Amino acid sequence: MKKLSSILAFLFLISAGPVTGSAQNAAAVEPQLVYKAPQNKDCRHWVDSVMDRLSFKEKVGQLFIYTIAPVDTKRNLELLREAVDTYKVGGLLFSGGKLQNQVNLTNRAQRQAKVPVMITFDGEWGLAMRLRGTPVFPRNMVLGCIQDNRLIHAYGREVARQCKQIGAQVNFAPVADVNINPKNPVINTRSFGENPMQVADKVIAYASGLEEGGVLSVCKHFPGHGDTDIDSHKALPVLPFTRERLDSVELYPFKRAIRAGLGGMMVGHLQVPIIEPVGGLPSSLSRNVVYDLLTDELAFRGLIFTDALAMKGVSGNGSVSLQALKAGNDMVLAPRNLKAEISAVLEAIEKGELSREDIESKCRKVLTYKYALGLKKKLFVQVSGLEQRINTPQTRDLIRRLNWAAITVVDNKNHILPLHADKEQKIALLEVGKPGETNALASQMSRYTSLVRFRLRANQTEQENQKLRDSLAAYKRIVVAVSEQRLGAYQPFFAKFVPKSPTIYLFFTPGKMMLQIQRAVSRASAVILGHSHNGDVQRQVADILYAKATADGRLSASIGGLFPTGAGVTITPRTPLHFIPEEHGLSSVLLKKIDAIALDGIQQGAYPGCQIVVLRNGHIMYDKAFGTYAGKGSPRVESTDIYDLASLSKTTGTLLAIMKLYDKGRFSLTDKISDYLPFLQRTDKKDITIQEILFHQSGLPSWIPFYQEVIDKDSYDGRLFSARRDAKHPLRIGTTTWANPDFKFKKEYISSVGTGDYTVQICDSIWLNRSFRKVIEEKIAETPLRQKRYVYSDIGFILLGMLVEQLAEMPMEAYLQREFYGPMGLERTGYLPLRRFAKSEIVPSNKDRFLRKETLQGFVHDEASAFFGGLGGNAGLFSTAREVARIYQMLLNGGELDGRRYLSKETCQLFTTEVSKISRRGLGFDKPDMTDSKKGNCAPGVPAEVYGHTGFTGTCAWVDPVNELVYVFLSNRVYPDATNRKLNQLHIRERIQEAIYDAMKKK
């Protein structure tokens, strides 16, 4: 059984591949339950021994499944004896009733049987479909909303466990019909949904769970009952479709199930003219359908059952059991008159209409399945303690998890969810249903907010309705909880319910019920479908409202014209809060101008994509991603994608560490940096102060091309660079700089693999000798100091990074992670991102055709930081706009975020307000140029108090403490070419900042 479980699990994982077109002469896949049976000596011996002692009539009886009620009346007990003892039926199917009665009759039948009886069960949603007092699982249409098919597989395993507890070996489930007809009177919620691929995935997950648990699954109703408007229990539905249509919709899940090696198939009572031209002949009696299509063309080798032959879709035909066996079915769900049906089969054999060999073969097949299902001996049910064994805590937990996973946030306009947990803000809860029915929801919501409850009664007068509408209008947020399925009596209220405040509808009913108040729902800011008013579901929905729990459901079927199949929005505890701009002094309409500016930048080639976040008062006002990673054909940028911050690393990384160490009293701003970095002590830099470096007025150069020290000067002719393009200098790397890429690296410094001393990775194919750190220090020490005036310097921040390492006594990235990024919950912020993330999650920075000769994706673009192993104090940090915004919100808050203090108010005040006397620069931060806005990096008219920074790759972050604004823009404008200056030429970052200020309401 353990080996079988691993095989089924493997098939479950690989079975999601495509199945397209008509499967002509498909390769046979042996059902996993019996694929080793022909080689099993014990199985062959048992089957042979049973065949030897059965009369031919008894062999015919083995192909019949008799349906009987689970009642212990004298008449019913006699019917059971006749079926089992007289006609030797192969199987039994009990109709609905009591658990105790069924298991008693099961044990009685096994005692009477000559050959162990196959007990079948019709439990599409578990035992509760037929037996009272057993665990109630959600219907398939609800389960179809679940995205994690491992849960569906676990559900199948649990149903198998329960089936075995009651002595059943076969479950006539799952329904594999694709319910694309909302008027379907019989399938409907029994189907997993409207999408053939999603239905197939769920069918395989559930059925493989059943079979892994030792119970035969039976996919039904072949060839597909989903797009009908007639109940086959009452008449014969017709599928008037082309073969192409059948292959792509109706047959698709069945094909996938066959390929997955599932063992059972039930043929429905359907008329399919394109396959069976004889009018009025049901699929279950059609050899064209059962044998030619299912067995031959689709190569199904499992056990084939008919649907119940007493149904009106088939019962009008004579000798239905005989016709079903001739069509190719293996077992028939027989009508009541067993004697007449079996006699008809025997008579047909005498007439030569059906061969003895065919009966022998089918009987042997049935017996083989019985052996595989454990019926080589009679299986009896232990009656004592049965209910406890079925209703376990684990079962209840699984039901809870299934219900939770099916919850679907169907719509979330303008990111109204999650709601902000605030006990001071009152929220209105309008309850539509029986009194107290949504108490669990209200109780859980009260943990997060101040809740005011209202109840809408059925058939209220218009005066009462209007009074209620007026009362609700006083609240900034309204939640409507619907637990009533019949909403006709409430329609007059909702017809005129057009609140100005954002309104969230919660439906604790089947989804289609919302169509009764369709217009009101269409106006909703958000809609959550909980499917049932179960208390656990209500509490979970309340948690989802406030992002305290996850919802990732997707609609398995469309809801009229309101919402399409697949609709759904994911909410997790990491989903950022969004707020209505108007409630914070901003215009939503004017903020949308940012979209046009961002898209204009993409259209004009300033960058392939970008992320933009705007916060006010600590709340998200704007959070969008635009464009792609690298242009047409590349992935779209999402808000979780990671960007190279370039020099924005200075204030988002290095400066934070400096501020923290200053907070701890580890240095003074007037300290000489050479006191901490001895290699500077006997140089012209020995008197540089930390404050001078932070102001960029230390006399240090802007940058030093450290990388030139690893290039072999004898490996190329002439000069490495030129002021103009020529044959030897074809690559443009600057506005007036052209380079010769045909050079080689010095072997003592560079290797193509990381071994020995070559431990510093610069890109995918280049490893640097760790001794190069000494070369960097020597180059900084020997480069002449210049006049102490304002010169923006990367070298200064490289020294500050070294200072952090000395004072923190650990690598700077580890210090930042410990003190800031980790406690702040910044999961996508850090240096060397490829240590934690796949390249696919990181936006490419640049195509470096000169130095590294590859696309840089996850490796820092800045050459100086790269030769520092991506850990330089000047660059190297990677992050998302959302997480960068949180860092700057912490600074705006005076060093505090989410109730935790990271820096003292005094340190934040000093570093964010101090300004150089000779430039616009602050202590590490850039600031607006108030004398000439064109010289700065901010929009005209921003307050002098603004602080932040920009980055060479096309990034910026600005904080406005006057208006409590945080603005972050991230892009990869240097992809593919670092000489692209359109971002600056078009003033994209500044125009977006200007649009934010324009959106502020005038007082």
Side-chain angles (χ1 to χ4, degrees), residues 672-674 679-689 698-701 704 778-786 788 795 799:
K672 297 174 182 178
I673 197 167
S674 61
F679 74 91
L680 296 175
Q681 287 178 354
R682 295 181 180 178
T683 72
D684 57 359
K685 301 162 190 70
K686 61 184 176 61
D687 294 325
I688 293 175
T689 68
S698 64
L700 288 167
I704 298 172
E778 291 172 355
K779 290 298 295 181
I780 293 174
E782 70 185 31
T783 301
L785 195 67
R786 301 173 184 178
K788 291 193 175 183
I795 305 305
L799 293 177

PDB file of all heavy atoms in Angstrom, residues 672-674 679-689 698-701 704 778-786 788 795 799:
ATOM      1  N   LYS A 672      37.461  61.883  13.557  1.00  0.00           N
ATOM      2  CA  LYS A 672      38.181  61.602  12.319  1.00  0.00           C
ATOM      3  C   LYS A 672      37.968  60.135  11.954  1.00  0.00           C
ATOM      4  O   LYS A 672      38.129  59.247  12.802  1.00  0.00           O
ATOM      5  CB  LYS A 672      39.669  61.901  12.497  1.00  0.00           C
ATOM      6  CG  LYS A 672      39.972  63.362  12.787  1.00  0.00           C
ATOM      7  CD  LYS A 672      41.441  63.567  13.084  1.00  0.00           C
ATOM      8  CE  LYS A 672      41.721  65.044  13.425  1.00  0.00           C
ATOM      9  NZ  LYS A 672      43.143  65.260  13.759  1.00  0.00           N
ATOM     10  N   ILE A 673      37.652  59.901  10.709  1.00  0.00           N
ATOM     11  CA  ILE A 673      37.372  58.519  10.317  1.00  0.00           C
ATOM     12  C   ILE A 673      38.622  57.655  10.369  1.00  0.00           C
ATOM     13  O   ILE A 673      38.548  56.435  10.539  1.00  0.00           O
ATOM     14  CB  ILE A 673      36.711  58.468   8.918  1.00  0.00           C
ATOM     15  CG1 ILE A 673      36.041  57.089   8.719  1.00  0.00           C
ATOM     16  CG2 ILE A 673      37.710  58.791   7.820  1.00  0.00           C
ATOM     17  CD1 ILE A 673      35.102  57.011   7.550  1.00  0.00           C
ATOM     18  N   SER A 674      39.795  58.287  10.266  1.00  0.00           N
ATOM     19  CA  SER A 674      41.046  57.524  10.338  1.00  0.00           C
ATOM     20  C   SER A 674      41.269  56.924  11.722  1.00  0.00           C
ATOM     21  O   SER A 674      42.052  55.988  11.878  1.00  0.00           O
ATOM     22  CB  SER A 674      42.238  58.410   9.958  1.00  0.00           C
ATOM     23  OG  SER A 674      42.356  59.506  10.864  1.00  0.00           O
ATOM     24  N   PHE A 679      44.166  52.317   7.937  1.00  0.00           N
ATOM     25  CA  PHE A 679      44.890  52.446   6.664  1.00  0.00           C
ATOM     26  C   PHE A 679      44.875  53.875   6.123  1.00  0.00           C
ATOM     27  O   PHE A 679      45.575  54.200   5.175  1.00  0.00           O
ATOM     28  CB  PHE A 679      44.337  51.460   5.629  1.00  0.00           C
ATOM     29  CG  PHE A 679      42.987  51.820   5.046  1.00  0.00           C
ATOM     30  CD1 PHE A 679      42.901  52.586   3.885  1.00  0.00           C
ATOM     31  CD2 PHE A 679      41.814  51.386   5.643  1.00  0.00           C
ATOM     32  CE1 PHE A 679      41.674  52.898   3.329  1.00  0.00           C
ATOM     33  CE2 PHE A 679      40.585  51.701   5.098  1.00  0.00           C
ATOM     34  CZ  PHE A 679      40.505  52.461   3.937  1.00  0.00           C
ATOM     35  N   LEU A 680      44.076  54.764   6.751  1.00  0.00           N
ATOM     36  CA  LEU A 680      44.027  56.175   6.341  1.00  0.00           C
ATOM     37  C   LEU A 680      44.918  57.078   7.200  1.00  0.00           C
ATOM     38  O   LEU A 680      45.088  58.262   6.891  1.00  0.00           O
ATOM     39  CB  LEU A 680      42.579  56.688   6.419  1.00  0.00           C
ATOM     40  CG  LEU A 680      41.554  56.044   5.498  1.00  0.00           C
ATOM     41  CD1 LEU A 680      40.163  56.599   5.801  1.00  0.00           C
ATOM     42  CD2 LEU A 680      41.903  56.280   4.034  1.00  0.00           C
ATOM     43  N   GLN A 681      45.505  56.535   8.261  1.00  0.00           N
ATOM     44  CA  GLN A 681      46.151  57.397   9.256  1.00  0.00           C
ATOM     45  C   GLN A 681      47.402  58.098   8.735  1.00  0.00           C
ATOM     46  O   GLN A 681      47.687  59.225   9.130  1.00  0.00           O
ATOM     47  CB  GLN A 681      46.470  56.579  10.516  1.00  0.00           C
ATOM     48  CG  GLN A 681      45.217  56.245  11.325  1.00  0.00           C
ATOM     49  CD  GLN A 681      45.497  55.394  12.533  1.00  0.00           C
ATOM     50  OE1 GLN A 681      46.634  54.937  12.729  1.00  0.00           O
ATOM     51  NE2 GLN A 681      44.466  55.158  13.348  1.00  0.00           N
ATOM     52  N   ARG A 682      48.153  57.501   7.877  1.00  0.00           N
ATOM     53  CA  ARG A 682      49.373  58.128   7.364  1.00  0.00           C
ATOM     54  C   ARG A 682      49.177  58.609   5.936  1.00  0.00           C
ATOM     55  O   ARG A 682      50.051  58.489   5.094  1.00  0.00           O
ATOM     56  CB  ARG A 682      50.538  57.149   7.449  1.00  0.00           C
ATOM     57  CG  ARG A 682      50.889  56.793   8.884  1.00  0.00           C
ATOM     58  CD  ARG A 682      52.054  55.853   8.949  1.00  0.00           C
ATOM     59  NE  ARG A 682      52.397  55.517  10.335  1.00  0.00           N
ATOM     60  CZ  ARG A 682      53.360  54.675  10.701  1.00  0.00           C
ATOM     61  NH1 ARG A 682      54.091  54.074   9.758  1.00  0.00           N
ATOM     62  NH2 ARG A 682      53.592  54.433  11.978  1.00  0.00           N
ATOM     63  N   THR A 683      47.972  59.136   5.685  1.00  0.00           N
ATOM     64  CA  THR A 683      47.646  59.658   4.357  1.00  0.00           C
ATOM     65  C   THR A 683      47.106  61.068   4.489  1.00  0.00           C
ATOM     66  O   THR A 683      46.904  61.580   5.593  1.00  0.00           O
ATOM     67  CB  THR A 683      46.580  58.772   3.673  1.00  0.00           C
ATOM     68  OG1 THR A 683      45.320  58.983   4.335  1.00  0.00           O
ATOM     69  CG2 THR A 683      46.950  57.295   3.738  1.00  0.00           C
ATOM     70  N   ASP A 684      46.868  61.692   3.335  1.00  0.00           N
ATOM     71  CA  ASP A 684      46.300  63.043   3.358  1.00  0.00           C
ATOM     72  C   ASP A 684      44.832  63.046   3.789  1.00  0.00           C
ATOM     73  O   ASP A 684      44.206  64.109   3.847  1.00  0.00           O
ATOM     74  CB  ASP A 684      46.456  63.708   1.983  1.00  0.00           C
ATOM     75  CG  ASP A 684      45.824  62.895   0.857  1.00  0.00           C
ATOM     76  OD1 ASP A 684      45.277  61.799   1.147  1.00  0.00           O
ATOM     77  OD2 ASP A 684      45.869  63.329  -0.314  1.00  0.00           O
ATOM     78  N   LYS A 685      44.294  61.887   4.127  1.00  0.00           N
ATOM     79  CA  LYS A 685      42.885  61.771   4.531  1.00  0.00           C
ATOM     80  C   LYS A 685      42.735  61.577   6.035  1.00  0.00           C
ATOM     81  O   LYS A 685      41.621  61.323   6.523  1.00  0.00           O
ATOM     82  CB  LYS A 685      42.242  60.588   3.786  1.00  0.00           C
ATOM     83  CG  LYS A 685      42.326  60.771   2.270  1.00  0.00           C
ATOM     84  CD  LYS A 685      42.113  59.494   1.526  1.00  0.00           C
ATOM     85  CE  LYS A 685      42.446  59.686   0.065  1.00  0.00           C
ATOM     86  NZ  LYS A 685      43.923  59.878  -0.179  1.00  0.00           N
ATOM     87  N   LYS A 686      43.853  61.674   6.748  1.00  0.00           N
ATOM     88  CA  LYS A 686      43.822  61.366   8.185  1.00  0.00           C
ATOM     89  C   LYS A 686      42.943  62.323   8.985  1.00  0.00           C
ATOM     90  O   LYS A 686      42.450  61.954  10.056  1.00  0.00           O
ATOM     91  CB  LYS A 686      45.233  61.378   8.755  1.00  0.00           C
ATOM     92  CG  LYS A 686      45.981  62.709   8.650  1.00  0.00           C
ATOM     93  CD  LYS A 686      47.406  62.574   9.164  1.00  0.00           C
ATOM     94  CE  LYS A 686      48.179  63.878   8.974  1.00  0.00           C
ATOM     95  NZ  LYS A 686      47.595  65.024   9.692  1.00  0.00           N
ATOM     96  N   ASP A 687      42.675  63.551   8.480  1.00  0.00           N
ATOM     97  CA  ASP A 687      41.907  64.521   9.250  1.00  0.00           C
ATOM     98  C   ASP A 687      40.447  64.656   8.800  1.00  0.00           C
ATOM     99  O   ASP A 687      39.708  65.502   9.306  1.00  0.00           O
ATOM    100  CB  ASP A 687      42.584  65.898   9.185  1.00  0.00           C
ATOM    101  CG  ASP A 687      43.938  65.898   9.891  1.00  0.00           C
ATOM    102  OD1 ASP A 687      44.061  65.198  10.906  1.00  0.00           O
ATOM    103  OD2 ASP A 687      44.860  66.575   9.397  1.00  0.00           O
ATOM    104  N   ILE A 688      40.028  63.844   7.837  1.00  0.00           N
ATOM    105  CA  ILE A 688      38.638  63.908   7.374  1.00  0.00           C
ATOM    106  C   ILE A 688      37.706  63.483   8.499  1.00  0.00           C
ATOM    107  O   ILE A 688      37.913  62.451   9.148  1.00  0.00           O
ATOM    108  CB  ILE A 688      38.435  62.984   6.153  1.00  0.00           C
ATOM    109  CG1 ILE A 688      39.212  63.491   4.955  1.00  0.00           C
ATOM    110  CG2 ILE A 688      36.940  62.875   5.801  1.00  0.00           C
ATOM    111  CD1 ILE A 688      39.153  62.545   3.761  1.00  0.00           C
ATOM    112  N   THR A 689      36.657  64.265   8.726  1.00  0.00           N
ATOM    113  CA  THR A 689      35.677  63.910   9.757  1.00  0.00           C
ATOM    114  C   THR A 689      34.505  63.148   9.149  1.00  0.00           C
ATOM    115  O   THR A 689      34.224  63.245   7.945  1.00  0.00           O
ATOM    116  CB  THR A 689      35.141  65.150  10.477  1.00  0.00           C
ATOM    117  OG1 THR A 689      34.355  65.915   9.554  1.00  0.00           O
ATOM    118  CG2 THR A 689      36.267  65.997  11.048  1.00  0.00           C
ATOM    119  N   SER A 698      34.308  66.331   1.891  1.00  0.00           N
ATOM    120  CA  SER A 698      35.542  65.880   2.535  1.00  0.00           C
ATOM    121  C   SER A 698      36.769  66.042   1.655  1.00  0.00           C
ATOM    122  O   SER A 698      37.896  65.879   2.139  1.00  0.00           O
ATOM    123  CB  SER A 698      35.404  64.407   2.911  1.00  0.00           C
ATOM    124  OG  SER A 698      35.259  63.623   1.724  1.00  0.00           O
ATOM    125  N   GLY A 699      36.595  66.332   0.363  1.00  0.00           N
ATOM    126  CA  GLY A 699      37.705  66.373  -0.568  1.00  0.00           C
ATOM    127  C   GLY A 699      37.971  65.043  -1.235  1.00  0.00           C
ATOM    128  O   GLY A 699      38.850  64.923  -2.090  1.00  0.00           O
ATOM    129  N   LEU A 700      37.227  64.005  -0.855  1.00  0.00           N
ATOM    130  CA  LEU A 700      37.369  62.698  -1.505  1.00  0.00           C
ATOM    131  C   LEU A 700      36.840  62.773  -2.939  1.00  0.00           C
ATOM    132  O   LEU A 700      35.900  63.522  -3.230  1.00  0.00           O
ATOM    133  CB  LEU A 700      36.593  61.636  -0.723  1.00  0.00           C
ATOM    134  CG  LEU A 700      37.182  61.208   0.614  1.00  0.00           C
ATOM    135  CD1 LEU A 700      36.161  60.409   1.404  1.00  0.00           C
ATOM    136  CD2 LEU A 700      38.461  60.388   0.413  1.00  0.00           C
ATOM    137  N   PRO A 701      37.413  61.981  -3.843  1.00  0.00           N
ATOM    138  CA  PRO A 701      36.928  62.004  -5.229  1.00  0.00           C
ATOM    139  C   PRO A 701      35.533  61.405  -5.334  1.00  0.00           C
ATOM    140  O   PRO A 701      35.085  60.676  -4.447  1.00  0.00           O
ATOM    141  CB  PRO A 701      37.950  61.146  -5.971  1.00  0.00           C
ATOM    142  CG  PRO A 701      38.481  60.210  -4.934  1.00  0.00           C
ATOM    143  CD  PRO A 701      38.509  61.020  -3.652  1.00  0.00           C
ATOM    144  N   ILE A 704      36.421  56.014  -7.842  1.00  0.00           N
ATOM    145  CA  ILE A 704      37.714  55.477  -8.267  1.00  0.00           C
ATOM    146  C   ILE A 704      37.440  54.212  -9.059  1.00  0.00           C
ATOM    147  O   ILE A 704      36.723  53.326  -8.572  1.00  0.00           O
ATOM    148  CB  ILE A 704      38.612  55.151  -7.053  1.00  0.00           C
ATOM    149  CG1 ILE A 704      38.923  56.421  -6.248  1.00  0.00           C
ATOM    150  CG2 ILE A 704      39.907  54.481  -7.502  1.00  0.00           C
ATOM    151  CD1 ILE A 704      39.643  56.145  -4.940  1.00  0.00           C
ATOM    152  N   GLU A 778      44.266  50.420  -0.690  1.00  0.00           N
ATOM    153  CA  GLU A 778      45.470  51.102  -1.171  1.00  0.00           C
ATOM    154  C   GLU A 778      45.133  52.191  -2.177  1.00  0.00           C
ATOM    155  O   GLU A 778      45.716  53.290  -2.144  1.00  0.00           O
ATOM    156  CB  GLU A 778      46.428  50.084  -1.795  1.00  0.00           C
ATOM    157  CG  GLU A 778      47.049  49.132  -0.772  1.00  0.00           C
ATOM    158  CD  GLU A 778      47.830  48.006  -1.422  1.00  0.00           C
ATOM    159  OE1 GLU A 778      47.809  47.913  -2.681  1.00  0.00           O
ATOM    160  OE2 GLU A 778      48.439  47.203  -0.693  1.00  0.00           O
ATOM    161  N   LYS A 779      44.171  51.898  -3.075  1.00  0.00           N
ATOM    162  CA  LYS A 779      43.789  52.896  -4.078  1.00  0.00           C
ATOM    163  C   LYS A 779      43.135  54.110  -3.424  1.00  0.00           C
ATOM    164  O   LYS A 779      43.371  55.255  -3.825  1.00  0.00           O
ATOM    165  CB  LYS A 779      42.822  52.284  -5.103  1.00  0.00           C
ATOM    166  CG  LYS A 779      43.448  51.273  -6.030  1.00  0.00           C
ATOM    167  CD  LYS A 779      44.560  51.873  -6.886  1.00  0.00           C
ATOM    168  CE  LYS A 779      44.052  52.931  -7.854  1.00  0.00           C
ATOM    169  NZ  LYS A 779      45.126  53.490  -8.696  1.00  0.00           N
ATOM    170  N   ILE A 780      42.302  53.884  -2.406  1.00  0.00           N
ATOM    171  CA  ILE A 780      41.682  55.005  -1.692  1.00  0.00           C
ATOM    172  C   ILE A 780      42.757  55.823  -0.981  1.00  0.00           C
ATOM    173  O   ILE A 780      42.754  57.062  -1.007  1.00  0.00           O
ATOM    174  CB  ILE A 780      40.633  54.496  -0.682  1.00  0.00           C
ATOM    175  CG1 ILE A 780      39.448  53.857  -1.415  1.00  0.00           C
ATOM    176  CG2 ILE A 780      40.144  55.641   0.204  1.00  0.00           C
ATOM    177  CD1 ILE A 780      38.432  53.204  -0.500  1.00  0.00           C
ATOM    178  N   ALA A 781      43.705  55.108  -0.355  1.00  0.00           N
ATOM    179  CA  ALA A 781      44.749  55.794   0.407  1.00  0.00           C
ATOM    180  C   ALA A 781      45.648  56.634  -0.490  1.00  0.00           C
ATOM    181  O   ALA A 781      46.049  57.754  -0.118  1.00  0.00           O
ATOM    182  CB  ALA A 781      45.572  54.765   1.180  1.00  0.00           C
ATOM    183  N   GLU A 782      45.974  56.152  -1.678  1.00  0.00           N
ATOM    184  CA  GLU A 782      46.936  56.853  -2.533  1.00  0.00           C
ATOM    185  C   GLU A 782      46.312  57.896  -3.453  1.00  0.00           C
ATOM    186  O   GLU A 782      47.013  58.734  -4.009  1.00  0.00           O
ATOM    187  CB  GLU A 782      47.708  55.837  -3.367  1.00  0.00           C
ATOM    188  CG  GLU A 782      46.871  55.153  -4.443  1.00  0.00           C
ATOM    189  CD  GLU A 782      47.619  54.068  -5.190  1.00  0.00           C
ATOM    190  OE1 GLU A 782      48.500  53.414  -4.602  1.00  0.00           O
ATOM    191  OE2 GLU A 782      47.315  53.866  -6.395  1.00  0.00           O
ATOM    192  N   THR A 783      44.990  57.845  -3.633  1.00  0.00           N
ATOM    193  CA  THR A 783      44.335  58.844  -4.498  1.00  0.00           C
ATOM    194  C   THR A 783      44.378  60.205  -3.798  1.00  0.00           C
ATOM    195  O   THR A 783      43.941  60.338  -2.652  1.00  0.00           O
ATOM    196  CB  THR A 783      42.885  58.458  -4.778  1.00  0.00           C
ATOM    197  OG1 THR A 783      42.857  57.185  -5.421  1.00  0.00           O
ATOM    198  CG2 THR A 783      42.221  59.499  -5.683  1.00  0.00           C
ATOM    199  N   PRO A 784      44.904  61.242  -4.458  1.00  0.00           N
ATOM    200  CA  PRO A 784      45.095  62.554  -3.807  1.00  0.00           C
ATOM    201  C   PRO A 784      43.765  63.156  -3.336  1.00  0.00           C
ATOM    202  O   PRO A 784      42.735  63.048  -4.010  1.00  0.00           O
ATOM    203  CB  PRO A 784      45.709  63.414  -4.914  1.00  0.00           C
ATOM    204  CG  PRO A 784      46.312  62.433  -5.861  1.00  0.00           C
ATOM    205  CD  PRO A 784      45.437  61.221  -5.826  1.00  0.00           C
ATOM    206  N   LEU A 785      43.808  63.742  -2.163  1.00  0.00           N
ATOM    207  CA  LEU A 785      42.660  64.454  -1.631  1.00  0.00           C
ATOM    208  C   LEU A 785      42.520  65.791  -2.344  1.00  0.00           C
ATOM    209  O   LEU A 785      43.514  66.457  -2.649  1.00  0.00           O
ATOM    210  CB  LEU A 785      42.833  64.675  -0.123  1.00  0.00           C
ATOM    211  CG  LEU A 785      41.586  65.087   0.661  1.00  0.00           C
ATOM    212  CD1 LEU A 785      40.587  63.944   0.680  1.00  0.00           C
ATOM    213  CD2 LEU A 785      41.963  65.476   2.099  1.00  0.00           C
ATOM    214  N   ARG A 786      41.286  66.185  -2.595  1.00  0.00           N
ATOM    215  CA  ARG A 786      41.039  67.438  -3.297  1.00  0.00           C
ATOM    216  C   ARG A 786      40.530  68.496  -2.324  1.00  0.00           C
ATOM    217  O   ARG A 786      40.438  68.277  -1.127  1.00  0.00           O
ATOM    218  CB  ARG A 786      40.039  67.201  -4.424  1.00  0.00           C
ATOM    219  CG  ARG A 786      40.526  66.155  -5.436  1.00  0.00           C
ATOM    220  CD  ARG A 786      39.471  65.803  -6.460  1.00  0.00           C
ATOM    221  NE  ARG A 786      39.944  64.743  -7.344  1.00  0.00           N
ATOM    222  CZ  ARG A 786      39.222  64.190  -8.314  1.00  0.00           C
ATOM    223  NH1 ARG A 786      37.968  64.590  -8.512  1.00  0.00           N
ATOM    224  NH2 ARG A 786      39.737  63.243  -9.071  1.00  0.00           N
ATOM    225  N   LYS A 788      38.267  70.815  -0.126  1.00  0.00           N
ATOM    226  CA  LYS A 788      37.078  70.470   0.636  1.00  0.00           C
ATOM    227  C   LYS A 788      35.908  71.354   0.227  1.00  0.00           C
ATOM    228  O   LYS A 788      35.589  72.347   0.879  1.00  0.00           O
ATOM    229  CB  LYS A 788      37.353  70.567   2.136  1.00  0.00           C
ATOM    230  CG  LYS A 788      38.296  69.479   2.628  1.00  0.00           C
ATOM    231  CD  LYS A 788      38.327  69.376   4.139  1.00  0.00           C
ATOM    232  CE  LYS A 788      39.200  68.198   4.574  1.00  0.00           C
ATOM    233  NZ  LYS A 788      39.198  68.020   6.039  1.00  0.00           N
ATOM    234  N   ILE A 795      33.062  57.283  -2.766  1.00  0.00           N
ATOM    235  CA  ILE A 795      34.190  56.804  -1.946  1.00  0.00           C
ATOM    236  C   ILE A 795      33.919  57.075  -0.472  1.00  0.00           C
ATOM    237  O   ILE A 795      34.220  56.249   0.394  1.00  0.00           O
ATOM    238  CB  ILE A 795      35.504  57.462  -2.406  1.00  0.00           C
ATOM    239  CG1 ILE A 795      35.734  57.227  -3.907  1.00  0.00           C
ATOM    240  CG2 ILE A 795      36.677  56.915  -1.589  1.00  0.00           C
ATOM    241  CD1 ILE A 795      35.704  55.771  -4.325  1.00  0.00           C
ATOM    242  N   LEU A 799      33.784  54.289   2.619  1.00  0.00           N
ATOM    243  CA  LEU A 799      34.473  54.386   3.904  1.00  0.00           C
ATOM    244  C   LEU A 799      33.493  54.276   5.069  1.00  0.00           C
ATOM    245  O   LEU A 799      33.801  53.654   6.093  1.00  0.00           O
ATOM    246  CB  LEU A 799      35.244  55.704   3.983  1.00  0.00           C
ATOM    247  CG  LEU A 799      36.420  55.849   3.013  1.00  0.00           C
ATOM    248  CD1 LEU A 799      37.057  57.237   3.151  1.00  0.00           C
ATOM    249  CD2 LEU A 799      37.470  54.762   3.238  1.00  0.00           C
TER     250      LEU A 799
END
